[in-house]
Amino acid sequence: AKRAAKLPKDPDLAFCYGMLNDVSRSFAIVIQQLPNPLRDAICIFYLVLRGLDTVEDDMALDVGFKVPELKRFHERIYERGFTMACGYNHYQRLMAQFGTVVNVFLGLEERHQQVIADITRRMGYGMAEFIEKEVKTVADYDLYCHYVAGLVGIGLSQLFAASGLEAPSVAAQEELANHMGLFLQKTNIIRDYLEDILEEPAPRMFWPREIWGRYGSSLEDFQQPANRKQAVQCLNHMVTDALRHVPHCMRYLEQLQHVMVFRFCAIPQIMAAGTLALCYNNGGVFEGVVKMRRGETATVFETCSNLGDVYGWFLRFLEILEEKVCSQAAADDPTLPETRQIVTTTRQLC
Ligand code: PS7
Ligand code: MN
Ligand code: MN
Ligand code: MN
Ligand code: MN
Ligand code: MN
């Protein structure tokens, strides 16, 4: 009853919010707390990119079909009635009903449409670039994450500034917005190691060879219990790499003025920091899904309305990291000094 009462009167818009709830409960909550017209624009932005990602992720699609579809997805969002048979479960339903997303997209203000279409075009070309290209270096890894998440941060910042809720300088500082996306995406890539490598009919691999190559001769071998020590050292290196973005994310959050925009941006960052603290030195990443506890997630949503709250959460997770770093001080983890350094300097910013 609570949810029905919140559904918009327009059936197309109601479908979009229902879909958003089905594919991402946590984004749905923070998006619904935003004021309009920002709320509807970001809801559609999310669903459009989720649609694009469904094309990228469907490993059953032929590459010769997928690459041009990724590149023209930014045009599809102007085609009334567009649908595509791909993906699974909720994502399959999203793609089958994509015409409804198109209808709502075409009803948005033109400046919002332009931001969404521009980011969709750049992301689609970036995804296409990496369909047949391996993520070899850390520079490749940063570039892939820029395409699939940094661009989202850049587009969102443009929407915030256009709404007048945030200063134009928020949109102008694209580098900081990029870091916001990279921190979330790298956390997703670290946590999804097993899900991605077990993908059927072909594995997905985003961990850069420049990092994992120091710990083994194939990324797939990290699943084997016999390789657990090397795998965990590699994992710790990946977490350390992700932590470099945190100081920049704090600088991004420090500029925000509107409390609901702040929550929308800060909650995913806190959850990512909590997930990284949980993943660090945790062999469970190679066995299944590592996730923050439900109760803790609920507390994040309740306690995140200003910078003080964010600093509090970061301090808590850095503490957990620090304990793990110290407890294995004897271990010959090659990135240990760097991890320690990053934890110490980041803590001083809180
Ligand atoms: C707030 C300045 C438009 C709200 C939010 C759908 C999640 C899905 O989930 O491994 O394992 O399948 O395939 C910066 C969100 C970055 C992006 C990227 C924060 C759109 C989003 C489509 C910027 C989110 C990071 C693919 C691409 O990875 O995922 C601020 C809104 C944000 C969507 C995410 C995800 C990429 C992704 P999964 P994958
Ligand atoms: Mn995906
Ligand atoms: Mn993807
Ligand atoms: Mn993933
Ligand atoms: Mn996933
Ligand atoms: Mn996936």
Side-chain angles (χ1 to χ4, degrees), residues 191-224:
R191 194 202 56 189
D192 281 353
Y193 165 84
L194 193 63
E195 177 190 311
D196 289 338
I197 213 124
L198 296 178
E199 197 70 64
E200 291 291 347
R204 312 282 316 271
M205 286 178 271
F206 302 111
W207 291 29
R209 183 187 287 269
E210 186 180 343
I211 291 179
W212 65 253
R214 292 173 52 172
Y215 305 93
S217 53
S218 104
L219 188 59
E220 278 134 310
D221 290 351
F222 289 157
Q223 286 168 80
Q224 310 304 322

Side-chain angles (χ1 to χ4, degrees), residues 119-275:
I119 299 299
T120 304
R121 178 181 54 80
R122 293 159 70 187
M123 190 186 291
Y125 273 82
M127 284 173 163
E129 180 183 329
F130 277 93
I131 288 297
E132 286 173 292
K133 178 169 132 186
E134 183 197 355
V135 179
K136 275 206 196 80
T137 63
V138 173
D140 291 339
Y141 180 46
D142 284 10
L143 181 61
Y144 175 76
C145 292
H146 163 72
Y147 289 143
V148 301
L151 285 172
V152 184
I154 290 167
L156 287 170
S157 303
Q158 290 170 3
L159 295 175
F160 300 156
S163 72
L165 297 178
E166 298 297 342
S169 58
V170 171
Q173 304 208 50
E174 296 197 346
E175 215 29 68
L176 292 184
N178 189 53
H179 283 292
M180 291 283 287
L182 262 62
F183 185 60
L184 297 188
Q185 188 59 21
K186 287 184 173 186
T187 303
N188 180 289
I189 284 173
I190 291 166
R191 194 202 56 189
D192 281 353
Y193 165 84
L194 193 63
E195 177 190 311
D196 289 338
I197 213 124
L198 296 178
E199 197 70 64
E200 291 291 347
R204 312 282 316 271
M205 286 178 271
F206 302 111
W207 291 29
R209 183 187 287 269
E210 186 180 343
I211 291 179
W212 65 253
R214 292 173 52 172
Y215 305 93
S217 53
S218 104
L219 188 59
E220 278 134 310
D221 290 351
F222 289 157
Q223 286 168 80
Q224 310 304 322
N227 299 324
R228 195 52 43 89
K229 184 177 175 190
Q230 301 286 318
V232 169
Q233 288 192 343
C234 180
L235 169 64
N236 294 348
H237 192 150
M238 291 289 289
V239 171
T240 304
D241 166 76
L243 290 172
R244 342 186 238 111
H245 301 292
V246 174
H248 305 281
C249 295
M250 300 214 267
R251 281 174 52 218
Y252 183 91
L253 294 174
E254 283 160 6
Q255 334 169 65
L256 300 178
Q257 302 291 330
H258 189 283
V259 68
M260 290 307 171
V261 173
F262 181 84
R263 283 173 53 78
F264 169 75
C265 294
I267 289 172
Q269 299 288 320
I270 295 169
M271 310 267 278
T275 302

Side-chain angles (χ1 to χ4, degrees), residues 13-15 21 30 35 39 41 51 76 128 142 172 175 181 193 224 229 235 238 258 266 284-285 300 328 330 334:
L13 199 56
F15 169 85
N21 251 293
V30 287
R39 176 172 58 209
R76 298 299 203 185
D142 284 10
E175 215 29 68
Y193 165 84
Q224 310 304 322
K229 184 177 175 190
L235 169 64
M238 291 289 289
H258 189 283
V285 169
V300 171
Q328 61 140 20

